[in-house]
Amino acid sequence: MEEITRKKGYICDMDGVIYHGNQLLDGAAAFVDWLKKEDKQFLFLTNSSERSPRELRQKLQRLGIDVEESHFYTSALATASFLSLQSPGCSAYVIGEPGLVNALYDAGITMNDVNPDYVVVGDTRNYNFENIQRAVRFIFKGAKLVGTNPDCTNPLETGMAPATGALVSPIEITTGKKAYFVGKPNPLMMRTGLKLLNCKSEDTAIIGDRMDTDIIAGIESEIDTVLVLSGVSDVHTPSLFPYRPKYILDTVGDIIQN
């Protein structure tokens, strides 16, 4: 644990690491208290696109953890930044929640349900045949398909729920077009995370519950990786992949147990 706790900066996932839905996970509050007490640099880098940093802060406050908005960066913000750089002033048809819509608005991207430049899909509970059909029609007319993140599942206190990767799939299959995913493990999001953290990769650890997003993102960014088994992964999951995390822990709280 000493090698992990010597790090200056920490990139930490949220779903499956800090909470499941509205349930705080064991050790999460103590870990965040330790980060603040030790004056560590830390960033919650989440593939969730539903909520803004302000809403994420409020959610943690309801769970008994208080951190400033500057400690959050979401796939919605990353997607908005990507589109604004690729095509300034573009328009989008969005299947997603207010956190994604507002991030796009703030980046100068307008909503368009007639002839959008992009179809953007994020985590949402408002998913139906009509918006799938519209998305398919726009893509056949030339719109580009972008997903906020490739996660297919989202851990909740009641079990697993479909996430963006699963919601994008019917559109990909129907149109024959593959989505471009902006969230982890995309290096764009990881580079932004390191810049916001203001730490070098060798001084940073990434903590997550997913081998195919958090852990591979850390490996490809030369950041030490910590897999926690409090989310979608269990002790057998690493054996299913051709790469391994540097550390495997039951919960994020185990980092500060010794």
Side-chain angles (χ1 to χ4, degrees):
M1 295 303 172
E2 184 178 348
E3 189 172 354
I4 306 176
T5 56
R6 282 203 305 264
K7 298 290 184 181
K8 296 178 181 178
Y10 298 82
I11 294 174
C12 189
D13 190 25
M14 299 188 74
D15 296 322
V17 178
I18 302 298
Y19 53 67
H20 279 169
N22 293 308
Q23 177 183 339
L24 188 69
L25 292 173
D26 290 343
F31 175 68
V32 176
D33 286 343
W34 176 81
L35 290 172
K36 294 192 288 187
K37 179 182 177 182
E38 296 295 323
D39 200 26
K40 300 288 188 179
Q41 300 297 313
F42 64 96
L43 181 70
F44 292 112
L45 192 72
T46 175
N47 265 356
S48 174
S49 62
E50 296 177 78
R51 298 178 176 87
S52 66
R54 177 178 297 181
E55 290 167 326
L56 288 172
R57 182 192 183 193
Q58 291 172 344
K59 177 171 183 174
L60 286 192
Q61 285 177 323
R62 290 193 293 271
L63 296 175
I65 298 175
D66 188 17
V67 295
E68 297 298 321
E69 288 180 38
S70 59
H71 290 287
F72 301 92
Y73 191 71
T74 72
S75 66
L77 295 174
T79 300
S81 176
F82 169 75
L83 293 183
S84 67
L85 291 172
Q86 288 287 304
S87 184
C90 66
S91 65
Y93 175 69
V94 180
I95 302 174
E97 296 294 321
L100 174 57
V101 174
N102 291 334
L104 293 169
Y105 270 133
D106 290 343
I109 298 160
T110 56
M111 302 301 106
N112 184 341
D113 61 0
V114 177
N115 57 348
D117 300 302
Y118 293 91
V119 170
V120 181
V121 182
D123 297 321
T124 182
R125 293 169 176 80
N126 299 309
Y127 189 77
N128 55 53
F129 185 78
E130 182 181 353
N131 54 36
I132 297 173
Q133 193 174 34
R134 280 188 174 186
V136 167
R137 184 170 70 250
F138 295 145
I139 291 168
F140 277 132
K141 288 183 177 180
K144 306 298 187 296
L145 180 59
V146 172
T148 58
N149 68 82
D151 297 352
C152 288
T153 58
N154 183 28
L156 303 176
E157 65 268 33
T158 54
M160 292 295 173
T164 299
L167 305 184
V168 167
S169 184
I171 302 170
E172 291 182 316
I173 292 170
T174 306
T175 62
K177 302 292 185 180
K178 291 294 183 182
Y180 179 75
F181 292 106
V182 182
K184 296 177 292 185
N186 193 319
L188 289 172
M189 191 162 177
M190 294 304 297
R191 284 199 295 269
T192 302
L194 284 171
K195 287 179 183 178
L196 292 172
L197 204 60
N198 195 26
C199 286
K200 297 178 180 179
S201 57
E202 61 266 28
D203 297 325
T204 305
I206 182 169
I207 306 163
D209 67 319
R210 295 179 183 270
M211 289 289 294
D212 56 351
T213 54
D214 304 307
I215 301 306
I216 189 59
I219 291 171
E220 293 180 349
S221 302
E222 299 182 326
I223 299 172
D224 280 352
T225 54
V226 181
L227 178 72
V228 293
L229 306 181
S230 52
V232 301
S233 297
D234 60 30
V235 68
H236 304 293
T237 302
S239 65
L240 304 176
F241 293 82
Y243 50 86
R244 290 185 60 81
K246 188 165 185 179
Y247 308 97
I248 301 176
L249 302 174
D250 287 331
T251 71
V252 71
D254 291 344
I255 292 174
I256 57 170
Q257 288 302 307
N258 295 320

